[in-house]
Amino acid sequence: MISSTFEYERVSTVAEAIERLQAAGGEAKLLAGGHSLLPMMKLRLASPGKLIDISAVQELHGIVREPDGLVVGALTTHAHVASSPMVREYLPALAQAASKVGDLQVRNRGTLGGNLSHADMASDLPAVALAYEAEVYVVTMDGEETLQAEEFFLGPLLTAMPENSVMRSVKFRTPPSGSKSVYEKVPHPASGYAVVGIAAVVAVNEDNVVTHARIGITGAADVAYRARGVEDALIGKAFTEEAIQSAAVYASDDGMIAGDLYASEAYRRQLCKVHTARALRKLLAQ
Amino acid sequence: MASVFGSTLKRREDPRLITGNGQYSEDIQLPGMLYASVLRSPHAHARIVNINTDAAKALEGVVAVYTGKDLEGKIGTVPTAWLPPDSNIQTPPHEVLAVNKVRYVGDGVALVVAENRYVARDAVDLIQVTYAPLPAVAEQEQAIADGAPILHDGVENNVAFHWQAGNATDDVFENAEVIVKQRFRQQRLIPNPMEPRAATAQYNPATGEMTLWATSQNPHIHRFLLSGILGIPENKLRIVSVDVGGGFGAKIACYPDEAMVAYAARDLKRPVKWVEDRRENFLVTSHGRDMVLDVEFAGTKDGDFTAIRVKNIANMGAYLSTAGPGVPTILFGLIVPGAYKIPYAAVDVYGVFTNTTPTDAYRGAGRPEATYLLERMVDLFAAEIGKDPVEVRRRNLIQSHEFPYNTAMGLEYDSGNYEVALDKALAMVGYEELRQKQQELRSQGRHLGIGVTTYVEICGLGPSQVAGAVGFQGGLWESATVRVHPTGKVTVFTGASPHGQGEETTFAQIVSQRLGVPFEDIEVVHGDTNRIAMGWGTYGSRTTPVGGNAIAVAVDKVLEKAKKIAAHMLEVSEEDVRFEDGKYSVEGAPTRSVTIQEVTLQAYLAWNLPQGVEPALEGTAFYDPVNFVYPFGTHICVVEVDEETGDIDLVKYVAVDDCGRVINPMVAEGQVHGGIVQGIGQALWEGAVYDEQAQLLTGTFMDYAMPKARFFKEFETAFTETPAPQNPLGVKGIGETGTIASTPTVVNAVMDALRPFGVKDINMPLTPERVWNAIEKGRQEA
Ligand SMILES: Cc1cc2nc3c(=O)[nH]c(=O)nc-3n(C[C@H](O)[C@H](O)[C@H](O)COP(=O)(O)OP(=O)(O)OC[C@H]3O[C@@H](n4cnc5c(N)ncnc54)[C@H](O)[C@@H]3O)c2cc1C
């Protein structure tokens, strides 16, 4: 599998990357881990004239703790995210999702920023970004911009990132104290991507009443979505098996559920329901 | 000396392969080498109106562009080498590059040769082809329907051949107490060896010799066929395939690409390399299976089987691949009665052209399909008469004292001890307890299923006389030369052409044991037509039963001569010499002895040889087996089905196989493991899908689900050893048993789990959605 001809350049700062993007006039693409872009190029589904390699841009690496969340640099690899003690402690669903991306080689190369920028409808991380109400920090030609996760994903391979911009980092908000979270995934037997992936975050008060519920679902629809129907059904109720069952039926209501060769729309709806319930049950059991 | 034969020795090929020192066809680097890339049809069926190669030729670095028209008359067509008798087989020409019409997505249209592979690939995109698309058909039943698009002029209804065998007349079924009918869809599979195909060709204008390094399971057959296509005499054509990264049948066929590469190398007088990319591997390397099977199965209420009748509509793809027609006919039909005493059996097979990739052998080739339908029918029959499927099997198995056993399909099974294997597997899995557990779990709403297969396989292809009788256009004997060098080191030349199974190890074990020389002193050479005498290659689990026995016979020839020399050296008569552990000694005076190495040196020095004995020491055998071999066994699988999602959990898998005497338990077990994985791949995940325009929708690893290690738990395997009675080593084949047995085993287990829902059958692969749908449907109907 051989891509068409392209130029390659490595940059060392975000500013440099933006400058090069602008100069190329839409012909260039940023290259991070390459694990989404290069396969597309080899299949000749993408033929950028130029690749701007940002993998050496130091400011884009690493995880920093802030009072209300963890800020993960765009170039942080899935493997790094999955094994970070901070992520595992404060954002277990993110660690779980990152550990379920592809295989070891993919996790060692692929980056969080690349994953979210690429916005494959079956990527794992968008579900988690929604459930932890992430903020995406983007550097553009005119400065910095902050995008909320829910307004970030627009459609298959489509995001709200402005032209010629670089994703710098993503803040995953730590949910209210006492929250529990989990990522539940049904991998496609061929691609390993999510047929459905469910990130669930729930907090209950001392009376076992749900005070906070965030459900992000990926894979099932043309774009990852917040299952607000489920959240609304849970909030204010006692967190019980009955509550889970009656809430889970709304799991596919908030997305444009799509069928494909492997799983029809009807079956994906079933998976959304069943696996939302299972994710919530795991939280109930914790 | 500890027995080398039968012991687990590590595969000696592995250090080379896992440290990147293998010699694959792609590894060949030659000075001045060019690279080829093939333009392939994006249409499943279309007329070629015009091809413009100007822009491609103008690209810097492009050396040549060939179209079908350019090659017309200069190169032959690709032959079919298995012509089932009395089948009215049609073999319309398969051009190396399509001239007027393309017949499947991937059909070659032009070949670009350039200074490097990148330019070659870019130039392919610059060729402009005007196509006039024609209606296409991908499915065999649609292809034989009236009004279907016709692929080849003169081939009515796209029927390539019609083959019948056996005898099971209507009255047998009319008078039967119990009849079960079922249709099965053997979905199309894509073999996907780890190494795609590759070819590097070098022509020597001075001598007229052509060397082709190519991915091949049978270099001599490829030499034989390519010499015809290229018009190069066999003695000037050399095919080399040292390391081959798996084939599973897909590297048996003779393909257009290798022929074109050789053609271009001769035409341009420069070496040319072509490496298939993964997308091409999906599109143009032969596929497997793809049959629509209608089965009628008759028996008594007590559980005796009386007859089986099968109609098979087989999808052959756009052209008849090299061995393709033999798969749904001979290799499928003859084994339909399986391991049971079934008095009447018949098959009726149609081979059909469609606008799809040609089909050919894929691990098991015909036998998995036959075993699948039989083992599924046995379960359906057992359910119909309300008996345990194990009990019903046991009742009908051929008994050990009944061998050799003549089947309704005219085969003579050599040997077997089917119940021993069955009992061993039942004990390993704990069958009785499992059935109890199943009951308990059912009452809790959990769905455990147990699936059993008692299979027999026909392999070790095979006696050449039979090959001729069944229309195989070649012999099926095997060659071996065992050359003992003056120092006692040994080189073994085998015409069987291992492609990853481990025979460099196991063949050395055979020689070490029989000749009494250390394992380390033996080198096995394969895969080079210039070094090795004519042979027929590796497929049909023949490498060990035929190629291995050829080596044994060659060793015996060495020993026969060595004994004469030894007797001469020991100054006794031959009758007074005994041979053991590499030593010749005098009967009754064991201290008077000479080693095989000492004898060998004398054979080469030839200072003092007995009268009439030639110098040197080597043996060559052209071994033609007297019969096929028939491995057998029992596989049992336990699954649990999730009724909410249709997910199938593989709880336990037990395999008991009998391949006669086991040369190397670890290597044999490895074959069983790989086979099981591929067989379960068919049961649960794999399947090629074409759309209405005959476009392959599952053309990448993103869509086509190959089984992965993480899909499996442990396999519990064991062997019983019933020596094969008709060959010197007592061995049978083990390469395909896993694929043959595991598919029905797993599906039977899932169907067993779904019994509470009244589900009888689900088309493979049993995806969670299909299982879930079947459960839902069962619920609605209940
Ligand atoms: C075999 C395989 C299996 C996989 N399985 C999964 C899976 O199960 N789940 C899953 O979620 N993913 C999976 N992936 C995708 C993987 O997670 C990718 O690594 C990820 O989607 C893209 O990250 P990357 O760093 O490789 O990005 P690249 O491929 O380098 O880039 C992807 C896109 O994002 C853009 N981009 C990258 N970084 C930035 C940035 N900082 N700012 C702006 N734009 C940027 C690029 O220009 C490009 O358009 C798989 C990939 C492979 C090859």
Side-chain angles (χ1 to χ4, degrees):
Chain A
M1 311 293 278
I2 297 173
S3 73
S4 56
T5 305
F6 59 89
E7 280 174 36
Y8 169 91
E9 193 177 357
R10 172 174 279 205
V11 295
S12 47
T13 65
V14 171
E16 218 183 323
I18 291 173
E19 184 197 310
R20 295 294 195 286
L21 276 174
Q22 244 177 314
E27 276 294 297
K29 280 229 162 243
L30 298 179
L31 176 70
H35 271 44
S36 288
L37 184 53
L38 297 185
M40 301 243 304
M41 289 170 61
K42 288 181 174 186
L43 286 165
R44 301 206 170 196
L45 295 172
S47 308
K50 182 169 191 176
L51 292 187
I52 300 162
D53 184 350
I54 54 171
S55 60
V57 178
Q58 279 316 314
E59 56 193 296
L60 298 179
H61 286 271
I63 303 170
V64 178
R65 192 170 163 202
E66 288 189 359
D68 59 343
L70 299 186
V71 178
V72 183
L75 284 175
T76 314
T77 62
H78 304 312
H80 185 167
V81 171
S83 61
S84 151
M86 270 195 305
V87 176
R88 290 160 83 129
E89 182 175 351
Y90 298 108
L91 306 166
L94 175 59
Q96 289 166 23
S99 76
K100 289 179 181 177
V101 169
D103 53 34
L104 196 61
Q105 291 95 318
V106 175
R107 293 194 290 275
N108 278 336
R109 292 287 307 177
T111 67
L112 178 122
N115 190 288
L116 296 176
S117 308
H118 189 64
D120 191 296
M121 59 177 272
S123 272
D124 293 298
L125 302 187
V128 187
L130 289 169
Y132 286 128
E133 297 174 278
E135 279 183 346
V136 182
Y137 303 122
V138 177
V139 186
T140 73
M141 302 173 280
D142 316 315
E144 303 244 346
E145 257 186 56
T146 302
L147 296 163
Q148 301 303 318
E150 238 183 320
E151 59 190 37
F152 183 79
F153 304 106
L154 301 180
L157 309 186
L158 201 63
T159 69
M161 290 228 291
E163 236 187 298
N164 298 339
S165 60
V166 175
M167 184 188 294
R168 184 160 54 81
S169 59
V170 179
K171 183 198 283 180
F172 292 84
R173 272 189 251 256
T174 35
S177 69
S179 293
K180 305 168 194 173
S181 56
V182 72
Y183 181 70
E184 171 102 0
K185 174 177 183 177
V186 179
H188 187 290
S191 71
Y193 278 81
V195 179
V196 304
I198 289 149
V201 182
V202 171
V204 293
N205 65 16
E206 57 279 12
D207 300 324
N208 193 38
V209 170
V210 178
T211 54
H212 176 93
R214 297 290 182 271
I215 314 288
I217 299 187
T218 188
D222 60 340
V223 63
Y225 63 93
R226 278 262 303 267
R228 290 192 183 264
V230 180
E231 297 173 3
D232 293 345
L234 287 171
I235 291 172
K237 306 267 163 52
F239 195 39
T240 62
E241 173 62 29
E242 295 70 45
I244 288 172
Q245 283 189 24
S246 46
V249 298
Y250 303 112
S252 57
D253 284 8
D254 293 285
M256 293 266 291
I257 308 300
D260 63 12
L261 205 55
Y262 179 69
S264 69
E265 183 193 327
Y267 182 63
R268 273 204 164 78
R269 286 187 192 279
Q270 170 74 2
L271 290 181
C272 286
K273 182 181 84 180
V274 172
H275 287 284
T276 297
R278 288 182 184 179
L280 292 170
R281 246 172 239 139
K282 281 186 186 163
L283 299 183
L284 187 61
Q286 269 178 23
Chain B
M1 187 160 104
S3 183
V4 179
F5 189 108
S7 62
T8 284
L9 299 183
K10 283 191 182 168
R11 285 168 36 116
R12 49 160 54 162
E13 38 277 84
D14 286 349
R16 160 176 106 239
L17 298 179
I18 61 187
T19 54
N21 289 310
Q23 295 174 67
Y24 295 97
S25 300
E26 187 180 4
D27 294 326
I28 303 300
Q29 295 295 341
L30 300 168
M33 189 162 71
L34 300 170
Y35 293 82
S37 187
V38 182
L39 171 67
R40 301 190 179 278
S41 169
H43 297 283
H45 202 189
R47 296 217 163 276
I48 299 172
V49 178
N50 184 49
I51 305 180
N52 184 336
T53 59
D54 293 349
K57 282 180 176 154
L59 186 68
E60 198 186 324
V62 170
V63 176
V65 180
Y66 302 96
T67 66
K69 282 225 165 69
D70 297 333
L71 300 186
E72 238 182 335
K74 296 181 182 161
I75 188 168
T77 55
V78 183
T80 303
W82 199 333
L83 310 170
D86 307 318
S87 66
N88 190 28
I89 188 163
Q90 309 290 309
T91 53
H94 180 189
E95 292 145 345
V96 295
L97 286 173
V99 178
N100 294 313
K101 192 165 129 164
V102 289
R103 294 184 177 83
Y104 74 102
V105 177
D107 218 349
V109 175
L111 179 81
V112 174
V113 184
E115 294 291 345
N116 67 53
R117 60 179 70 183
Y118 310 103
V119 171
R121 176 63 187 83
D122 283 345
V124 161
D125 283 354
L126 295 176
I127 300 173
Q128 290 147 7
V129 187
T130 313
Y131 295 99
L134 297 166
V137 61
E139 205 277 334
Q140 56 266 51
E141 283 191 296
Q142 290 172 15
I144 53 174
D146 285 338
I150 297 294
L151 271 83
H152 297 277
D153 293 342
V155 181
E156 267 174 54
N157 295 110
N158 295 313
V159 174
F161 55 86
H162 178 206
W163 183 82
Q164 288 169 299
N167 175 30
T169 49
D170 288 344
D171 58 299
V172 178
F173 286 89
E174 277 155 20
N175 297 325
E177 287 179 21
V178 183
I179 295 186
V180 186
K181 296 185 186 181
Q182 186 63 45
R183 163 169 277 219
F184 299 109
R185 192 84 178 67
Q186 273 284 330
Q187 81 272 33
R188 176 180 284 246
L189 302 179
I190 302 180
N192 277 313
M194 207 186 291
E195 178 205 25
R197 283 188 296 128
T200 304
Q202 183 178 39
Y203 183 69
N204 182 337
T207 61
E209 279 172 320
M210 169 73 73
T211 304
L212 183 68
W213 290 264
T215 44
S216 175
Q217 293 178 225
N218 27 246
H220 287 95
I221 293 185
H222 282 151
R223 185 183 62 172
F224 190 41
L225 299 176
L226 284 165
S227 116
I229 300 172
L230 294 165
I232 298 174
E234 259 181 301
N235 55 1
K236 300 260 186 194
L237 181 57
R238 175 184 182 195
I239 313 285
V240 189
S241 324
V242 178
D243 285 320
V244 180
F248 310 111
K251 290 171 183 168
I252 295 173
C254 184
Y255 294 91
D257 312 290
E258 287 81 344
M260 283 193 287
V261 169
Y263 177 90
R266 184 175 54 179
D267 192 45
L268 302 170
K269 299 190 176 54
R270 285 175 70 179
V272 179
K273 175 187 282 191
W274 168 78
V275 180
E276 184 183 57
D277 69 29
R278 190 50 74 177
R279 173 92 183 133
E280 290 179 293
N281 186 261
F282 269 98
L283 279 179
V284 303
T285 292
S286 64
H287 292 176
R289 317 277 192 262
D290 205 344
M291 300 174 189
V292 176
L293 302 165
D294 282 300
V295 193
E296 294 168 276
F297 190 87
T300 67
K301 286 184 185 138
D302 291 343
D304 291 333
F305 305 161
T306 53
I308 182 165
R309 193 156 67 174
V310 186
K311 183 172 175 191
N312 176 358
I313 305 181
N315 192 335
M316 305 311 298
Y319 305 97
L320 292 180
S321 181
T322 310
V327 175
T329 54
I330 315 300
L331 294 175
F332 166 85
L334 298 186
I335 201 73
V336 153
Y340 312 109
K341 290 178 272 190
I342 308 183
Y344 299 100
V347 293
D348 185 12
V349 182
Y350 291 85
V352 179
F353 286 118
T354 64
N355 296 110
T356 61
T357 305
T359 57
D360 205 311
Y362 170 58
R363 200 168 189 172
R367 292 148 292 161
E369 297 93 315
T371 307
Y372 181 79
L373 70 88
L374 177 64
E375 291 299 313
R376 292 283 302 116
M377 289 313 277
V378 168
D379 266 33
L380 291 170
F381 174 78
E384 183 74 22
I385 61 171
K387 287 199 153 65
D388 182 90
V390 169
E391 189 189 321
V392 171
R393 282 184 169 79
R394 190 187 294 282
R395 187 184 176 98
N396 290 278
L397 285 176
I398 300 163
Q399 301 295 303
S400 57
H401 62 84
E402 291 170 311
F403 292 95
Y405 181 86
N406 290 297
T407 75
M409 293 309 292
L411 294 176
E412 187 193 277
Y413 290 176
D414 56 352
S415 63
N417 224 332
Y418 298 171
E419 275 195 272
V420 172
L422 172 62
D423 287 330
K424 185 162 187 160
L426 291 172
M428 281 167 71
V429 83
Y431 187 72
E432 294 305 325
E433 302 89 86
L434 269 175
R435 284 286 174 207
Q436 275 170 22
K437 190 168 167 207
Q438 181 180 39
Q439 284 311 319
E440 282 163 32
L441 289 175
R442 268 188 189 153
S443 61
Q444 300 163 24
R446 286 176 58 187
H447 307 285
L448 202 72
I450 306 153
V452 180
T453 286
T454 44
Y455 75 93
V456 62
E457 186 205 343
I458 164 178
C459 71
L461 311 179
S464 299
Q465 229 178 9
V466 179
V470 299
F472 183 76
Q473 304 298 298
L476 282 173
W477 46 266
E478 200 46 81
S479 73
T481 294
V482 173
R483 180 168 300 155
V484 191
H485 302 287
T487 54
K489 309 285 180 197
V490 181
T491 306
V492 180
F493 300 87
T494 172
S497 196
H499 61 310
Q501 311 99 305
E503 279 92 357
E504 286 175 29
T505 306
T506 56
F507 281 1
Q509 286 179 266
I510 293 172
V511 174
S512 171
Q513 183 74 34
R514 221 172 172 86
L515 195 58
V517 298
F519 175 74
E520 297 72 31
D521 287 355
I522 302 158
E523 194 70 26
V524 177
V525 174
H526 57 86
D528 183 342
T529 60
N530 264 23
R531 295 178 74 185
I532 296 152
M534 179 70 197
W536 295 94
T538 178
Y539 40 83
S541 298
R542 69 187 302 276
T543 317
T544 299
V546 189
N549 277 302
I551 291 168
V553 174
V555 169
D556 290 350
K557 291 188 177 178
V558 168
L559 290 175
E560 202 182 312
K561 178 170 175 180
K563 190 172 192 180
K564 289 197 173 74
I565 301 169
H568 189 70
M569 289 166 71
L570 294 165
E571 298 176 326
V572 293
S573 73
E574 255 189 85
E575 300 83 72
D576 295 331
V577 173
R578 48 174 291 177
F579 179 67
E580 211 186 324
D581 291 348
K583 226 184 243 169
Y584 289 93
S585 57
V586 176
E587 199 77 58
T591 49
R592 285 182 58 201
S593 66
V594 285
T595 65
I596 182 80
Q597 289 83 358
E598 288 163 343
V599 172
T600 304
L601 184 61
Q602 290 311 315
Y604 278 93
L605 294 175
W607 293 337
N608 181 12
L609 290 177
Q611 273 272 301
V613 171
E614 289 179 352
L617 191 58
E618 67 177 66
T620 290
F622 298 93
Y623 171 80
D624 202 356
V626 296
N627 191 2
F628 299 107
V629 288
Y630 298 89
F632 60 89
T634 296
H635 285 210
I636 303 180
C637 178
V638 184
V639 301
E640 184 170 354
V641 177
D642 182 330
E643 63 173 318
E644 281 189 307
T645 60
D647 282 323
I648 296 163
D649 182 24
L650 293 167
V651 179
K652 206 175 171 83
Y653 196 99
V654 166
V656 176
D657 295 281
D658 192 317
C659 58
R661 293 183 64 204
V662 177
I663 302 170
N664 182 325
M666 183 192 69
V667 170
E669 194 184 12
Q671 288 296 309
V672 172
H673 280 204
I676 293 172
V677 164
Q678 277 176 309
I680 300 181
Q682 173 169 22
L684 300 185
W685 302 291
E686 295 184 49
V689 181
Y690 285 90
D691 71 8
E692 287 298 310
Q693 280 76 47
Q695 291 284 339
L696 181 65
L697 298 180
T698 50
T700 72
F701 284 132
M702 294 294 280
D703 315 291
Y704 187 90
M706 292 293 287
K708 301 171 183 70
R710 67 169 185 273
F711 293 4
F712 302 94
K713 302 200 175 101
E714 205 183 1
F715 302 134
E716 292 171 42
T717 62
F719 294 100
T720 60
E721 291 197 41
T722 311
Q726 291 172 307
N727 66 56
L729 293 172
V731 295
K732 298 181 176 181
I734 192 66
E736 296 160 301
T737 57
T739 338
I740 287 167
S742 63
T743 313
T745 306
V746 168
V747 176
N748 278 344
V750 176
M751 295 308 134
D752 185 53
L754 298 183
R755 189 156 310 171
F757 303 101
V759 179
K760 282 199 168 150
D761 193 53
I762 300 175
N763 278 343
M764 295 187 290
L766 306 184
T767 61
E769 173 161 15
R770 286 184 181 168
V771 173
W772 178 70
N773 280 333
I775 292 172
E776 291 292 300
K777 189 157 164 272
R779 279 210 175 104
Q780 279 157 24
E781 284 166 6

